[in-house]
Each structure stands twice: as C-alpha cells, then as structure tokens.
C-alpha cells in the first residue's frame, strides 16, 4: 500500500509541477517588462530623442541628462563618427555641434536648449534641422544655459539663423 501511495503522490506532484510550470510559462510570455512599457508607440514623437555621440564626451551625457530632466525619452548611441553622420544628415560641416540628435523627424546638432527644440517641433518649419555649432561654454551640457546662443536652421534653402537668444 505504501508503494501505491508513494507512486500516486509522485504522479500527483509531477502533474502539479508540470501544470504550474506551464502556467508560469504562459504568464511569463504574456507579461511585459516594465522597462519595455515605454515604447515608441507610447511616447509622443516630439518627446523621443536619439543622440549619436562620442562615447568619451562627458558634455554629451550631461546634455542627455538635461534633456531627460526636461521630459525627453533619450536613447544614447555611441558613435565615434557622429560628425560624419551629421554631415550626411545635412548639418553644414562648419556648423557641427558636439553630437547629433533626432527629434520628431528633425536633426538637432549640438547643445541646443530644449525650449528651441520644442519650438522647432511645434512650429514645424520646412528645414532639415537646427545646429548650435561647437561647444559653447554657456550651453546646456556645459555650464548650463546662460547668455545668448545663436542656433542655425539648415535645409534645402541653405543656412539661416533660427534663434538668437
């Protein structure tokens, strides 16, 4: 009788284990990790920012942090050739910033203040993007915005001042 009981208990536990494992597997495959809940479909396009940057550039990380603090979901991509990518995107070679970003279909080169990016994505001018050339010490990502920064728009119509504030 003990052998029948042991055999029956073993079978019952095995079946219960398989059922639990199967249920766990189903539940696991249907669940979405919290980190994946913020997808391109759930974040407005004008709040998504992809930054191509030199991986050793500290100011680019500070700028990305600044953008995140101002509501952007930032994807950082290490790219030692971001300057070549920038020129291929249409940024004038003499107007390169310290990284290249893409926001809502526009290219943004350099440490452009978020207020100017927000204006760009809300006004939607017929340009390829904007650039803040170089690495001005009074720009976000450096010492913080202070004073005047001259941002340029670039596109099929050439290069023009977009903002001087």
């Amino acid at each position: 009788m003990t052998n029948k009981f042991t055999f029956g208990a073993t079978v019952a536990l095995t079946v219960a284990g398989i059922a639990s494992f199967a249920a766990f597997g189903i539940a696991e495959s249907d669940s979405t990790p919290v980190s994946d809940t913020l997808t391109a479909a759930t974040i407005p396009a004008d709040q998504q920012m992809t930054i191509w940057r030199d991986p050793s550039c500290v100011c680019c990380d500070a700028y990305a942090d600044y953008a995140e603090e101002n509501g952007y979901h930032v994807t950082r991509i290490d790219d030692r050739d971001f300057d070549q990518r920038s020129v291929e995107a249409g940024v004038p070679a003499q107007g390169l910033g310290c990284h290249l970003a893409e926001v809502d279909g526009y290219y943004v080169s350099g440490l452009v203040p978020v207020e100017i990016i927000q204006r760009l994505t809300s006004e939607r001018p017929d340009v390829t993007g904007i650039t803040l050339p170089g690495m001005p010490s009074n720009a976000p990502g450096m010492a913080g915005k202070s004073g005047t920064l001259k941002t340029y728009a670039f596109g099929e119509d050439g290069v023009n001042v977009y903002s001087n504030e």
Side-chain angles (χ1 to χ4, degrees):
M1 184 74 161
T2 304
N3 285 341
K4 285 184 181 180
F5 176 76
T6 303
F7 178 75
T10 302
V11 169
L13 287 174
T14 302
V15 169
I18 292 170
S20 295
F21 182 77
F24 176 77
I26 291 169
E28 188 67 25
S29 65
D30 287 344
S31 66
T32 302
V34 173
S35 62
D36 291 344
T37 58
L38 294 177
T39 65
T42 60
I43 300 170
D46 64 346
Q47 292 298 301
Q48 297 176 42
M49 180 182 288
T50 299
I51 294 178
W52 292 272
R53 64 186 178 71
D54 186 304
S56 62
C57 184
V58 177
C59 72
C60 293
D61 282 330
Y63 181 81
D65 293 344
Y66 158 79
E68 288 172 338
E69 290 165 5
N70 283 278
Y72 288 90
H73 179 76
V74 179
T75 301
R76 303 169 199 213
I77 300 173
D78 291 342
D79 184 357
R80 292 195 187 281
D81 297 321
F82 80 89
D83 51 347
Q84 180 180 357
R85 176 185 299 277
S86 298
V87 171
E88 290 170 0
V91 180
Q94 69 277 15
L96 292 178
C98 68
H99 62 265
L100 179 68
E102 186 175 8
V103 180
D104 199 13
Y106 288 102
Y107 287 104
V108 178
S109 177
L111 303 165
V112 178
V114 294
E115 302 82 34
I116 297 171
I117 296 171
Q118 291 165 345
R119 183 171 353 130
L120 174 73
T121 58
S122 66
E123 291 178 354
R124 308 219 45 91
D126 188 20
V127 298
T128 303
I130 57 177
T131 184
L132 178 59
M135 297 172 66
S137 61
N138 62 330
M142 298 297 279
K145 171 134 176 28
S146 64
T148 302
L149 294 169
K150 190 179 281 190
T151 305
Y152 298 87
F154 58 90
E156 289 184 19
D157 293 337
V159 179
N160 299 298
V161 174
Y162 182 73
S163 172
N164 193 16
E165 52 189 83

